[in-house]
Amino acid sequence: MTAGVQTIMYPVKDLARAKAIFGALLGVEPYADEPYYVGYKDAGQDVGLDPHGHAKGMTGPVPYWHVEDIRVTRTALLEAGAESLQDVQDVGGGRLIAFLKDAEGNMIGLLQDTEK
């Protein structure tokens, strides 16, 4: 069971340039602005810029499905034929993420907030 796609992560090579572009697009300041991640919230969406995304296998934007149990969902996807690109990782604040690709090479991100 999911709560839908509420987060999208973009791999970027030039973080400063990407910040300028997404700042202009969204018209808001980032809520997180670190050398390893820049995050925006706009219209109920979380938009992230990951300067290390390409190195982690991201070939384009990754939609993150918000799930109740990331490990159960990840296992089900693997059993269905998905390939793991990033195992479950705690990124702070009780947020767990993982991402996989389907048989066609499409990226599937999973996100679980363990703290409310």
Side-chain angles (χ1 to χ4, degrees), residues 23-94:
L25 172 66
L26 301 171
V28 298
E29 292 296 316
Y31 70 85
D33 191 351
E34 301 294 337
Y36 57 87
Y37 175 78
V38 174
Y40 297 89
K41 288 195 184 293
D42 184 53
Q45 293 289 312
D46 202 350
V47 178
L49 308 176
D50 184 349
H52 304 291
H54 291 97
K56 293 188 271 186
M58 295 170 72
T59 57
V62 176
Y64 279 80
W65 292 85
H66 289 232
V67 297
E68 289 181 14
D69 189 323
I70 194 168
R71 287 177 177 81
V72 168
T73 304
R74 180 179 174 277
T75 297
L77 291 172
L78 292 171
E79 289 172 354
E83 178 184 335
S84 179
L85 294 174
Q86 177 183 305
D87 200 355
V88 176
Q89 177 182 5
D90 187 330
V91 294

Side-chain angles (χ1 to χ4, degrees), residues 95-108:
R95 179 165 278 190
L96 304 175
I97 63 168
F99 71 94
L100 308 91
K101 68 178 176 179
D102 69 12
E104 303 297 324
N106 298 303
M107 307 296 252
I108 302 170

